[in-house]
Amino acid sequence: MTPQIALSLFILAMAIMFFVTEWLPMEVVALLVLGTVAITGLVNPTEALSGFSSPAVVTVWAVFILSGGLTRTGVANIIGRNILRLAGKREFFIVTVVMLSAGIMSAFMNNVAVAALMLPVVMDISRQTGHPASRLLMPLAYGSLLGGLTTLIGTPPNILISEALRDNGLTPFKFFDYTPVGAAVMVAGVVFMVLIGRYLLPSRDVTRESSTTGQLSLRDRYELSERMFLMRIPANSVLVGKKLRESRLGSALGLHVMGIIRNSRTEVAPEPSTILFSGDRLIVEGRPDQMDELSHWRKLEVEQRSAQLEKLFSPNTAVAEVRLSAGSNLIGKTLNEAGFHDRFGVNILVIRRGDTLRRSDLQDEHLEADDTLLLQGIGDRLESIEKVDDFKSFRLVSVDDLEKIYRLHERLLIVRILEGSTLVGKSLQESRLGDALGMRVLSFFRTDETMVMPEAGELLSVGDRLMMLGKMDDLFILQGLEQLEIEQEVLPDINELESARVGLVEGMLSPRTTLAGKTLRQIHFREKYGLSVVAIWRAGKILRTNIRDIALRFGDALLLYGRRDKLGMLGLEPDFLVLTESAQETPHFGKAKVSTLIMLAVLLPVIMGLVPIFISAVIGAAFMVLFRCLTMEEAYRDIEWKAVFLIAGMLPLGNALDQTGAAKFLAEGVVSIIGPFGPKAVLSGLIVLTFIATCFIPTAALVVIMAPIAISTSVNMGISQYALMMAVAMAASASFMTPISHPANILVMGPGGYRFIDYLKVGLPLSLVVLLVLVFVLPYFWPLVG
């Protein structure tokens, strides 16, 4: 083994480690690989960047745009609806038609887009027929994956394998070269799922679900009925006359007010601005024992209503003001979105906008140009802010300024923790003082010790005195929540919480979302969309506690409650997918014929061998925008940029494996172990290795790694390069065994209520079926020898 081979294999091993552990985003790993192989001299700088101009990469992003054009003009809707009408009501036929229709469309469109498009339709079929969604959605995902095997543009691995053949001086696969083997695999996969696979899927008791509204299944699945109770507002409550949003029932206790019974009438899905009255009975979703949390606030005593401003300062701490510059990147963001505290290490005490002072709930305030920010921080942190381009007009302020300009003394309180408080022993972060009260702890007094800007991990003790910035009313409201009376009588029928105007629906992040990793609080979900997220279904578990601060993941199912018109408006948002067809954005059906003609014009020259696929696809993508099948902004959004950067970054590593002899080295190892058993054993070994690798490595990166190994193995064994490359393409795209193997699998995980083990139970035997078909059918069309 030469040093170059060893270095190439080390880089490969490190890349695989990062892909498996997910310590870094996969596209970042790919870019680091690109830089590493260039710096180490395994490839020259020009070759390192060649991935971005690779025909494979160009074809991939162009096909994403073509797929987006077909989706947005309703071509897929028309095909899908007409085909699904044939399904009837028997599960046998529904699964068959769902898989075949998804497979046919995936042959020409991005398979994740097809699954996302058909997901609401299949959910509606589930509601109408009474068949559990869990028995239909995994077949939908697998159908879209199987269909991608049948054409050159069906899936990125097919494109990459074809271009790898071209790069090695071989004739690339043509458009329908994948069809014979891919179609055989698809048919076998559908037959397996219909006859065996669907019985391995989880299933709820259909007799408990409604075949007309479909909503009982949601209530059962999220156990809503078990978490509903009534609370009465007594006559002397501090909540009387307050708005619902001011009650802090959500932020402090994690309770959702689903309705208000007033004068024998029920107002469902009340607005946050709804005024509360004496005698109101609140229909609440949550845990009654959350009311025990109120003991936190009963044992807090307000010692001073106007604290001494001097206590904001210490030998190391000062207060300063800065203004946002016109070109600041912070403009339009909230403090939460900007990660202000983590980034700059300071507290924002006040935001001054003209003559208006904003001193509470600042974390959700959108910053504007020329806002003046009053900051508290350690001296060197404040000085470093002066050098940041986002700010201007930095100056230290005095106690006199705090009183006369910012009137800060009006909002400073000294609060003492009394004996018996459940806050004792908890850290500041665990106390949730900020969430519950909308206040911030600025200083901490304990016996002879004073801590300015205490750390979030600081533990609270009896007698601690906290200087807090906030409104006195908020503390009184929380202490007054204990007056709420929990009623033991039977709740009204839960069906009354839904009507023609108000509904309960599941939603999720769309495949092209930009919100993954953000919390509901950060995106201001309730304020922006007017809907409540009652619960989150993630990997077979229901999340209900502090869901406002849970980072959203692709594949999460969100239980949404609110007015149906707002649910429909959410369906128009590109970041969300509402799981009912009636809430989907209406496609531009008038452009359906145009987009279809453009797609045909792209495919015909390629099929006839007149134009390379990458040129035809780029021209077609341009025409999709030119003829307004989609806008340029929509085209950018439809491109799966992670896949583009992943492929472009990993291609140089594939070149390095080839040029250094590392691929040949690995191929010789494969041949030495499996070679003695013959060509079919080698074929089977590569397929199994690729199957296993799809569980951990993104398919596009896997193909880039496997292609040079397959080529070298074929040379060493005297086996057809086309047969082994076809096998790698098919195996890489048949990613069934885990939810993380492919985005289509993750997409259906939440709505289907699947757990990780469900994919293994169905995906493993399905992979064995694919293995058998490839071993016995592939050599018939692509002989291994000769």
Side-chain angles (χ1 to χ4, degrees), residues 123 218 221-222 505-509 533-539 541-543 552-560 577 579 746-753:
M123 291 294 288
L218 282 181
R221 177 178 167 190
Y222 287 95
V505 175
E506 276 187 310
M508 61 189 305
L509 297 181
V533 178
V534 180
I536 298 175
W537 182 281
R538 173 179 295 171
K541 296 181 180 179
I542 304 171
L543 308 180
L552 298 177
R553 298 179 188 170
F554 180 60
D556 287 345
L558 313 179
L559 184 61
L560 306 171
L577 193 62
L579 302 185
I746 300 177
L747 182 70
V748 301
M749 189 175 189

Side-chain angles (χ1 to χ4, degrees), residues 539-618:
K541 296 181 180 179
I542 304 171
L543 308 180
R544 300 189 185 93
T545 306
N546 298 329
I547 58 176
R548 294 193 315 158
D549 296 310
I550 294 176
L552 298 177
R553 298 179 188 170
F554 180 60
D556 287 345
L558 313 179
L559 184 61
L560 306 171
Y561 182 65
R563 284 167 38 190
R564 295 192 186 277
D565 60 337
K566 292 188 176 181
L567 288 168
M569 291 175 63
L570 184 67
L572 303 179
E573 292 287 327
D575 283 305
F576 291 97
L577 193 62
V578 180
L579 302 185
T580 178
E581 192 177 8
S582 60
Q584 301 308 302
E585 181 180 6
T586 303
H588 312 304
F589 287 113
K591 295 287 184 180
K593 291 182 180 179
V594 176
S595 64
T596 302
L597 289 173
I598 291 173
M599 195 66 184
L600 290 174
V602 168
L603 298 180
L604 287 176
V606 175
I607 294 170
M608 297 170 65
L610 301 177
V611 181
I613 180 64
F614 50 90
I615 298 297
S616 185
V618 168

Side-chain angles (χ1 to χ4, degrees), residues 317-318 341 345-347 376-378 441-444 451-455:
T317 309
H341 185 274
V346 298
N347 288 329
Q376 178 199 33
I378 298 172
V441 178
L442 304 179
S443 297
F444 202 104
M451 284 177 281
V452 180
M453 294 184 64
E455 296 291 334

